[in-house]
Amino acid sequence: MKPMDDIWNGIGGLSSPTTTNFQDFFAPATRPPADSTALLLRPPSTTISTLLTNSPLHEDDPNKRPPPRHFPAPDPPQPEYTEKFRRLMKNRESAARSRARKQARADELEIEVRRLLKENAKLKRLQKQACVSQVPKESKLSRTKSAPF
Amino acid sequence: MMPRDRDPLVVGRVIGDVLDSFTKSMDLTVSYNNMEVTNGCELKPSQVVNKPRVDIGGEDLRAFHTLVMVDPDAPSPSDPNLREYLHWLVTDIPATTGTRFGQEAMCYESPRPSMGIHRIVFVLFRQLGRQTVYAPGWRQNFNTKDFAELYNLGPPVAAVYFNCQRESGIGGRRR
């Protein structure tokens, strides 16, 4: 069954990082047949309901059909309602918030750095200009009252 | 415009969860103990226990402004059922001055998050006139957008936010 396993593993979107077993997506009471081989060999038109009734291979013979399972209405076997799925989604949201936090801080710092570099360059320019205009005056010698003689 | 250089308010989802997109048109400087708040910086509850110094820009002393301070992640960012929690509301702030010249419509309540890492957002609006803005009756489930519409404040003129978690917090993890 190796090639089929590869195909299932290649379907990245649905699979939970914590399980590689397709059956884990369903609540225990409503698992598809334990023999996953039969599942994978089914024709593509198989629907969720036929998977759940667990009997397509015996459809023609009512005597051999297993008793229909009773699924309690408030607990549909879709992945969305399992605790595992909800925890998964919560963790994903938390991770997304964490990434957003990190990226926002990085973006803000980049903006700050550019602003400060600009301001620094401007201040250096101004200081240079101020120095240039001062030098001639400083070279003049003059006696001050603080001279010791 | 480099794709990486995006508005931190958008990346941090402040624009989205609290505000709609707007163009900054006024200077807003918020400082706790002489430390200026920059978007997304982290401050501990002990650092924000007292109200910050807030200075605003503009030119006309006759233009009045309202400052809103909210926590959109109350009580917890994974389940913010008290969004937004109003920490501070100051109205009638004249341009070029600061909150100490305005009217404290809702007194400053320092952030003390117990679960997760919260964003604490400051938003500045320009008022149509003086004494035209009133405080709500309670702090939780405040809605900045609705509040602005109710008092004809228009779009925000400036905003800034910081992150805050409980004093002994370690990155939002449960104990």
Side-chain angles (χ1 to χ4, degrees), chain A residues 90 93-94 96-112 114-115, chain B residues 2 4-8 11-13 38-42 77-79 117 161 163 171 174:
Chain A
K90 268 195 143 193
E93 284 159 12
S94 177
R97 276 198 302 276
S98 181
R99 286 191 300 270
R101 224 178 2 249
K102 188 172 172 183
Q103 187 64 54
R105 187 63 185 143
D107 291 344
E108 175 73 12
L109 289 174
E110 260 179 62
I111 292 171
E112 275 292 293
R114 263 185 285 119
R115 185 182 69 83
Chain B
M2 295 179 287
R4 273 196 66 120
D5 176 26
R6 295 193 58 206
D7 185 355
V11 178
R13 301 304 304 149
T38 49
N39 286 318
C41 73
E42 173 135 4
S78 56
D79 183 23
I117 302 178
Y161 80 100
N163 292 317
R174 259 185 272 261

Coordinates of all heavy atoms in Angstrom, one line a residue, chain A residues 90 93-94 96-112 114-115, chain B residues 2 4-8 11-13 38-42 77-79 117 161 163 171 174:
Chain A
K90 N -7.5 26.6 17.3 CA -7.1 27.6 18.3 C -5.6 27.8 18.3 O -5.1 28.9 18.4 CB -7.5 27.1 19.7 CG -8.8 27.6 20.2 CD -9.0 27.4 21.7 CE -9.8 28.6 22.2 NZ -9.8 28.6 23.7
E93 N -4.6 29.8 15.3 CA -4.9 31.2 15.5 C -3.8 31.9 16.4 O -3.4 33.0 16.1 CB -6.3 31.4 16.1 CG -7.4 31.2 15.1 CD -8.7 30.9 15.8 OE1 -8.8 31.1 17.0 OE2 -9.6 30.4 15.1
S94 N -3.5 31.2 17.4 CA -2.5 31.7 18.4 C -1.1 31.8 17.7 O -0.4 32.9 17.8 CB -2.3 30.7 19.5 OG -1.3 31.1 20.4
A96 N -0.7 32.3 14.5 CA -0.9 33.5 13.5 C -0.7 34.8 14.2 O -0.1 35.7 13.7 CB -2.2 33.4 12.8
R97 N -1.3 34.9 15.4 CA -1.2 36.1 16.2 C 0.2 36.4 16.6 O 0.7 37.5 16.5 CB -2.0 36.1 17.5 CG -3.5 36.4 17.3 CD -4.1 36.7 18.7 NE -4.0 35.6 19.6 CZ -4.8 34.6 19.6 NH1 -5.9 34.5 18.8 NH2 -4.7 33.6 20.5
S98 N 0.9 35.3 16.9 CA 2.3 35.4 17.3 C 3.2 35.9 16.1 O 4.0 36.8 16.3 CB 2.8 34.1 17.8 OG 4.2 34.1 18.2
R99 N 2.9 35.4 15.0 CA 3.7 35.8 13.8 C 3.4 37.3 13.5 O 4.2 38.1 13.1 CB 3.3 34.9 12.6 CG 4.0 33.5 12.6 CD 3.8 32.8 11.3 NE 2.4 32.7 10.9 CZ 1.7 31.6 11.2 NH1 2.2 30.6 11.9 NH2 0.4 31.5 10.8
A100 N 2.1 37.6 13.6 CA 1.7 39.0 13.3 C 2.4 40.0 14.3 O 2.8 41.0 13.9 CB 0.2 39.2 13.4
R101 N 2.4 39.6 15.5 CA 3.1 40.4 16.5 C 4.5 40.7 16.2 O 5.0 41.8 16.2 CB 3.0 39.7 17.9 CG 2.6 40.6 19.0 CD 2.5 39.9 20.3 NE 2.8 38.5 20.4 CZ 1.8 37.5 20.6 NH1 0.6 37.9 20.7 NH2 2.2 36.3 20.8
K102 N 5.2 39.6 15.8 CA 6.6 39.6 15.5 C 6.8 40.5 14.3 O 7.7 41.4 14.3 CB 7.1 38.2 15.2 CG 8.6 38.1 15.1 CD 8.9 36.6 15.0 CE 10.4 36.4 14.6 NZ 10.7 34.9 14.5
Q103 N 6.0 40.3 13.2 CA 6.2 41.0 12.0 C 5.9 42.5 12.2 O 6.6 43.4 11.7 CB 5.3 40.4 10.9 CG 5.5 41.0 9.5 CD 6.9 40.7 9.0 OE1 7.4 39.6 8.9 NE2 7.6 41.8 8.6
A104 N 4.8 42.8 12.9 CA 4.5 44.2 13.2 C 5.6 45.0 13.9 O 5.9 46.1 13.5 CB 3.2 44.3 14.0
R105 N 6.2 44.3 14.9 CA 7.3 44.9 15.6 C 8.5 45.2 14.7 O 9.1 46.2 14.7 CB 7.7 44.0 16.8 CG 8.7 44.7 17.7 CD 8.1 45.9 18.4 NE 9.0 46.6 19.2 CZ 9.1 47.9 19.3 NH1 8.2 48.7 18.6 NH2 9.9 48.5 20.1
A106 N 8.8 44.2 13.9 CA 9.9 44.3 12.9 C 9.6 45.5 11.9 O 10.5 46.3 11.7 CB 10.1 43.0 12.1
D107 N 8.4 45.6 11.4 CA 8.1 46.6 10.5 C 8.2 48.0 11.1 O 8.7 49.0 10.5 CB 6.7 46.4 9.9 CG 6.6 45.2 9.0 OD1 7.6 44.8 8.6 OD2 5.4 44.8 8.7
E108 N 7.7 48.1 12.4 CA 7.8 49.4 13.1 C 9.2 49.8 13.3 O 9.6 51.0 13.1 CB 7.1 49.3 14.4 CG 7.2 50.5 15.3 CD 6.3 51.6 14.8 OE1 5.4 51.4 14.0 OE2 6.5 52.8 15.3
L109 N 10.1 48.8 13.7 CA 11.5 49.2 13.9 C 12.2 49.6 12.6 O 13.0 50.5 12.6 CB 12.2 48.0 14.5 CG 11.8 47.7 16.0 CD1 12.4 46.4 16.5 CD2 12.2 48.8 16.9
E110 N 11.8 49.0 11.5 CA 12.4 49.4 10.2 C 12.1 50.8 9.9 O 12.9 51.6 9.5 CB 11.9 48.5 9.1 CG 12.8 47.3 8.7 CD 12.2 46.5 7.6 OE1 11.9 47.0 6.5 OE2 12.0 45.3 7.8
I111 N 10.8 51.2 10.1 CA 10.4 52.5 9.9 C 11.1 53.5 10.8 O 11.6 54.6 10.4 CB 8.8 52.6 10.1 CG1 8.1 51.9 9.1 CG2 8.4 54.1 10.1 CD1 6.6 51.7 9.3
E112 N 11.3 53.1 12.1 CA 12.0 54.0 13.0 C 13.4 54.2 12.6 O 13.9 55.3 12.7 CB 12.0 53.3 14.4 CG 10.7 53.6 15.3 CD 10.7 55.0 15.7 OE1 11.5 55.5 16.5 OE2 9.7 55.7 15.2
R114 N 14.8 54.0 9.6 CA 14.9 54.9 8.5 C 14.7 56.3 8.9 O 15.4 57.2 8.4 CB 13.9 54.4 7.4 CG 14.7 53.6 6.4 CD 13.8 53.2 5.2 NE 12.9 52.2 5.5 CZ 11.6 52.4 5.3 NH1 11.1 53.5 4.9 NH2 10.7 51.4 5.7
R115 N 13.7 56.5 9.7 CA 13.4 57.9 10.2 C 14.6 58.5 10.9 O 15.1 59.6 10.7 CB 12.2 57.9 11.1 CG 11.7 59.3 11.5 CD 10.5 59.2 12.5 NE 10.9 58.6 13.8 CZ 11.4 59.3 14.7 NH1 11.7 60.6 14.6 NH2 11.7 58.7 15.9
Chain B
M2 N 8.0 48.9 -0.8 CA 8.5 47.5 -0.6 C 7.4 46.7 0.1 O 6.8 47.2 1.0 CB 9.7 47.5 0.3 CG 10.9 48.1 -0.4 SD 12.3 48.1 0.7 CE 11.9 49.2 2.0
R4 N 7.5 44.4 2.2 CA 7.8 44.1 3.6 C 7.5 45.3 4.4 O 7.2 45.2 5.6 CB 9.2 43.7 3.8 CG 9.5 42.3 3.5 CD 10.9 42.0 4.1 NE 10.8 42.1 5.6 CZ 11.1 41.1 6.4 NH1 11.4 40.0 6.0 NH2 11.1 41.3 7.7
D5 N 7.5 46.5 3.9 CA 7.3 47.7 4.7 C 5.9 48.0 4.7 O 5.4 48.9 4.0 CB 8.2 48.8 4.0 CG 8.0 50.1 4.7 OD1 7.6 50.1 5.9 OD2 8.1 51.1 4.1
R6 N 5.1 47.3 5.6 CA 3.7 47.6 5.7 C 3.4 48.3 7.0 O 4.2 48.3 7.9 CB 2.9 46.3 5.6 CG 3.1 45.6 4.3 CD 2.1 44.5 4.1 NE 0.7 45.1 4.2 CZ -0.3 44.3 4.6 NH1 -0.1 43.1 4.9 NH2 -1.5 44.9 4.7
D7 N 2.2 48.9 7.1 CA 1.8 49.6 8.3 C 1.7 48.7 9.4 O 0.9 47.7 9.4 CB 0.5 50.3 8.0 CG 0.0 51.2 9.1 OD1 0.7 51.2 10.2 OD2 -1.0 51.8 8.9
P8 N 2.5 48.9 10.5 CA 2.4 48.0 11.7 C 1.0 47.9 12.2 O 0.6 46.9 12.8 CB 3.3 48.6 12.7 CG 4.3 49.4 11.8 CD 3.5 49.9 10.7
V11 N -0.5 45.1 10.1 CA 0.1 43.8 10.3 C -0.3 43.3 11.7 O -0.5 42.1 11.9 CB 1.7 44.0 10.2 CG1 2.3 42.6 10.5 CG2 2.1 44.4 8.8
G12 N -0.4 44.2 12.7 CA -0.8 43.9 14.0 C -2.3 43.7 14.2 O -2.8 43.5 15.3
R13 N -3.0 43.9 13.1 CA -4.5 43.8 13.0 C -5.2 44.8 13.9 O -6.4 44.6 14.2 CB -4.9 42.3 13.4 CG -4.4 41.2 12.6 CD -4.7 41.4 11.1 NE -6.1 41.5 10.8 CZ -6.6 42.2 9.8 NH1 -5.8 42.8 9.0 NH2 -7.9 42.3 9.6
T38 N 6.2 52.9 20.9 CA 6.2 52.7 19.5 C 5.4 51.4 19.2 O 5.3 50.5 20.0 CB 7.6 52.5 18.9 OG1 8.3 51.5 19.7 CG2 8.4 53.8 19.0
N39 N 4.8 51.4 18.0 CA 3.9 50.3 17.7 C 4.4 48.9 18.0 O 5.5 48.5 17.6 CB 3.5 50.3 16.2 CG 2.5 51.4 16.0 OD1 1.5 51.6 16.8 ND2 2.7 52.1 14.9
G40 N 3.7 48.1 18.8 CA 4.1 46.7 19.1 C 5.2 46.6 20.1 O 5.6 45.4 20.4
C41 N 5.6 47.6 20.8 CA 6.6 47.5 21.8 C 5.9 46.8 23.0 O 4.7 46.8 23.2 CB 7.2 48.8 22.2 SG 6.2 49.9 23.2
E42 N 6.7 46.1 23.9 CA 6.1 45.4 25.0 C 6.3 46.2 26.3 O 7.4 46.6 26.6 CB 6.7 44.0 25.1 CG 6.2 43.3 26.4 CD 5.8 41.9 26.1 OE1 6.0 41.4 25.0 OE2 5.3 41.3 27.1
P77 N -6.9 37.1 24.3 CA -6.9 37.3 22.8 C -7.5 36.1 22.1 O -8.0 36.3 21.0 CB -5.4 37.4 22.4 CG -4.6 37.1 23.6 CD -5.5 37.2 24.8
S78 N -7.6 34.9 22.7 CA -8.2 33.8 22.0 C -9.7 33.8 22.2 O -10.4 33.1 21.5 CB -7.6 32.5 22.5 OG -7.7 32.4 23.9
D79 N -10.2 34.6 23.1 CA -11.6 34.7 23.3 C -11.9 36.1 23.9 O -12.3 36.2 25.0 CB -12.1 33.6 24.3 CG -13.6 33.6 24.5 OD1 -14.3 34.1 23.6 OD2 -14.1 33.2 25.6
I117 N -1.4 37.7 25.5 CA -0.7 39.0 25.3 C -1.7 39.9 24.6 O -2.3 39.6 23.5 CB 0.5 38.8 24.3 CG1 1.5 37.8 24.9 CG2 1.2 40.1 24.0 CD1 2.7 37.5 24.1
Y161 N -0.1 51.6 19.3 CA -0.4 50.5 20.3 C 0.8 49.9 20.8 O 1.9 49.9 20.3 CB -1.3 49.5 19.6 CG -0.6 48.5 18.7 CD1 -0.3 47.2 19.2 CD2 -0.2 48.8 17.5 CE1 0.3 46.2 18.5 CE2 0.5 47.9 16.7 CZ 0.7 46.6 17.2 OH 1.4 45.7 16.4
N163 N 2.0 46.2 23.3 CA 1.6 44.8 23.8 C 1.8 44.8 25.3 O 2.8 45.3 25.8 CB 2.4 43.7 23.1 CG 2.1 43.6 21.7 OD1 0.9 43.7 21.3 ND2 3.1 43.5 20.8
G171 N 5.3 35.0 27.4 CA 4.9 34.9 26.0 C 3.5 34.3 25.8 O 3.3 33.5 24.9
R174 N 0.0 29.4 28.9 CA -0.6 29.1 30.2 C 0.4 28.5 31.1 O 1.4 28.0 30.8 CB -1.7 28.0 30.0 CG -3.1 28.5 29.8 CD -4.1 27.4 29.8 NE -4.2 27.0 28.4 CZ -5.3 27.3 27.6 NH1 -6.2 28.1 28.2 NH2 -5.4 26.9 26.4

